C-alpha cells in the first residue's frame, strides 16, 4: 500500500514518531474498523511485521490499550497468545506491537467449533485470575452510565425506555469484585493460527466484574449453539455469573449496544441491541 509517510489518517506528530521508530516501513494493510477514531495498520520493516494503532482526537481506546499492555497482558504474552508492545507514546495516542499471525475467528470455520471456545475460556480465566480488587461504587457508576446512554439519541420506544429507567433506578448497588477484563471478548478479537487461539484489541480493557466478559458471547454465539457456551465454561473452569448481577449486566450491555449503534449508523448492530433489550426484559 506504500510507505508510512503516505498515510493521511495519522497526525504529523504520529507520523514523525513512526518514522523515528520504524524508518522505511511499508504499509501492508489497513485493518481499521472504520467506526471508531482509531487507525490500525499492518506494517512491515525488513523481515519484521508490526501493528500500528494511532488514535484521533475522539479516540479514548489507546490509553486503555496501553494500560493493558503495561499491566495485564503478561499471562498471554509469555505464551505468545497476545501481541507484544514495542513502542508507545501516550500523549500522541500511538502504539506499535509485534504482528501476531493468524486469521480472525469471526467468519472462520473455528467460530462454530467448541475447541476454540474452550481455549478462549481458559485464556480468559488466566487473565482474570491475576488480580482482584473490591469496589463499593462500581454498580452505582454502571447504573449512571446506563442512564446516560438512555439520555442520548436512540430509537428505543418510550414505553421500553420508561421500563428501563425504572428498573435501573431501583437496582441495588452491592460491592463488586473487579478483575482485569478485555471488554470486547468475542471471536472478532480472537485469532486462530495453526490450531491455536490468541487475543488482540485491548481498547476496552478495564477493571470490571469477571462476568462482564461473558456479555458479547451471550448475545450471539452462546444463543446460536449451547455447545459453545458449555465448552467455554469448561475452559474457564466455573461460571461467575450471579443471576441478579448478570441480568443487570445484560440490560446495561443491551442499552449501550442499541444506543451506540444508532449513533454510528450500524443498523444491524442496533437491531441486535433492541433484541438484547427485549430478551433481557423478558427473562
Amino acid at each position: 500500500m506504500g510507505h508510512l509517510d503516505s498515510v493521511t489518517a495519522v497526525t504529523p506528530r504520529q507520523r514523525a514518531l513512526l518514522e523515528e521508530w520504524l524508518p522505511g516501513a511499508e504499509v501492508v494493510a489497513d485493518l481499521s474498523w472504520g467506526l471508531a477514531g482509531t487507525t490500525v495498520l499492518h506494517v512491515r520493516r525488513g523481515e519484521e511485521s508490526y501493528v500500528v494503532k494511532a488514535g484521533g482526537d475522539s479516540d479514548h481506546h489507546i490509553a486503555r490499550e496501553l494500560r493493558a499492555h503495561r499491566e495485564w497482558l503478561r499471562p498471554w504474552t509469555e505464551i505468545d497468545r497476545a501481541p507484544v508492545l514495542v513502542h508507545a507514546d501516550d500523549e500522541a495516542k500511538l502504539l506499535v506491537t509485534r504482528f501476531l499471525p493468524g486469521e480472525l475467528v469471526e467468519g472462520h470455520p473455528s467460530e462454530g467449533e467448541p475447541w476454540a471456545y474452550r481455549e478462549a475460556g481458559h485464556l480468559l480465566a488466566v487473565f482474570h485470575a491475576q488480580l482482584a480488587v473490591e469496589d463499593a461504587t462500581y454498580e452505582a457508576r454502571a447504573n449512571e452510565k446506563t442512564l446516560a446512554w438512555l439520555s442520548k439519541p436512540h430509537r428505543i420506544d418510550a414505553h421500553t425506555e420508561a421500563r428501563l429507567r425504572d428498573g435501573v433506578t431501583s437496582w441495588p448497588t452491592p460491592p463488586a469484585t473487579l478483575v482485569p477484563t478485555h471488554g470486547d471478548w468475542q471471536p472478532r478479537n480472537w485469532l486462530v493460527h495453526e490450531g491455536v487461539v490468541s487475543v488482540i484489541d485491548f481498547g476496552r480493557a478495564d477493571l470490571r466484574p469477571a462476568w462482564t466478559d461473558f456479555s458479547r458471547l451471550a448475545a450471539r454465539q452462546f444463543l446460536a449453539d449451547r455447545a459453545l457456551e458449555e465448552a467455554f465454561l469448561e475452559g474457564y473452569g466455573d461460571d461467575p455469573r450471579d443471576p441478579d448481577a448478570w441480568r443487570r449486566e445484560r440490560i446495561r450491555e443491551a442499552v449501550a449496544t442499541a444506543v451506540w449503534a444508532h449513533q454510528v449508523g450500524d443498523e444491524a448492530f442496533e437491531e441486535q441491541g433492541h433484541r438484547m433489550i427485549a430478551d433481557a426484559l423478558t427473562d
Side-chain angles (χ1 to χ4, degrees):
M1 290 183 63
H3 292 284
L4 274 171
D5 59 10
S6 67
V7 177
T8 60
V10 299
T11 68
R13 173 60 176 158
Q14 290 169 340
R15 183 177 290 107
L17 285 169
L18 290 173
E19 287 293 339
E20 176 185 336
W21 295 341
L22 304 172
E26 300 246 349
V27 178
V28 178
D30 187 336
L31 306 177
S32 308
W33 283 100
L35 294 176
T38 307
T39 299
V40 184
L41 303 171
H42 175 196
V43 307
R44 182 178 295 122
R45 180 172 182 262
E47 298 298 315
E48 299 293 333
S49 286
Y50 306 90
V51 169
V52 171
K53 291 195 175 185
D57 291 339
S58 63
D59 176 87
H60 56 274
H61 296 282
I62 295 294
R64 287 187 290 192
E65 182 127 10
L66 284 173
R67 184 185 184 190
H69 277 286
R70 290 164 175 162
E71 297 184 23
W72 301 324
L73 294 195
R74 182 173 293 181
W76 289 339
T77 58
E78 286 182 339
I79 56 174
D80 297 323
R81 299 295 189 94
V84 174
L85 185 67
V86 180
H87 299 289
D89 188 299
D90 300 63
E91 186 176 346
K93 296 184 179 181
L94 183 68
L95 64 88
V96 177
T97 67
R98 296 284 180 188
F99 179 79
L100 201 62
E103 299 178 67
L104 290 180
V105 171
E106 183 176 74
H108 187 272
S110 59
E111 185 175 6
E113 295 294 333
W115 69 264
Y117 292 78
R118 193 173 295 109
E119 279 206 31
H122 176 68
L123 285 171
L124 190 63
V126 171
F127 191 62
H128 286 174
Q130 62 184 312
L131 173 68
V133 296
E134 295 299 312
D135 190 326
T137 66
Y138 173 84
E139 289 277 349
R141 288 185 284 111
N143 292 348
E144 289 172 3
K145 287 181 182 178
T146 300
L147 294 173
W149 278 118
L150 288 170
S151 296
K152 298 177 185 293
H154 60 72
R155 290 194 284 196
I156 302 169
D157 68 82
H159 174 70
T160 300
E161 180 181 350
R163 285 187 64 191
L164 290 166
R165 287 184 178 276
D166 288 345
V168 172
T169 55
S170 68
W171 285 343
T173 55
T177 301
L178 310 186
V179 300
T181 59
H182 181 278
D184 194 12
W185 193 250
Q186 57 178 317
R188 76 176 187 179
N189 291 318
W190 308 339
L191 296 178
V192 60
H193 180 64
E194 297 180 349
V196 174
V197 174
S198 301
V199 188
I200 59 171
D201 196 355
F202 312 102
R204 293 197 75 254
D206 205 349
L207 292 172
R208 304 181 184 92
W211 34 262
T212 60
D213 267 338
F214 287 54
S215 298
R216 305 291 169 92
L217 293 171
R220 293 188 61 189
Q221 286 79 13
F222 291 173
L223 280 180
D225 188 346
R226 173 65 178 171
L228 302 181
E229 181 175 14
E230 292 173 350
F232 185 83
L233 292 173
E234 181 182 340
Y236 191 82
D238 63 5
D239 191 337
R241 294 174 289 183
D242 169 81
D244 291 336
W246 176 238
R247 183 174 185 272
R248 295 194 296 269
E249 170 61 18
R250 289 177 61 206
I251 291 175
R252 291 171 184 143
E253 182 74 10
V255 169
T257 298
V259 180
W260 181 84
H262 175 64
Q263 290 182 335
V264 300
D266 188 337
E267 293 189 3
F269 197 38
E270 183 183 7
E271 182 179 342
Q272 177 183 316
H274 287 285
R275 175 182 58 75
M276 292 164 64
I277 292 171
D279 290 347
L281 289 176
T282 299
D283 292 346

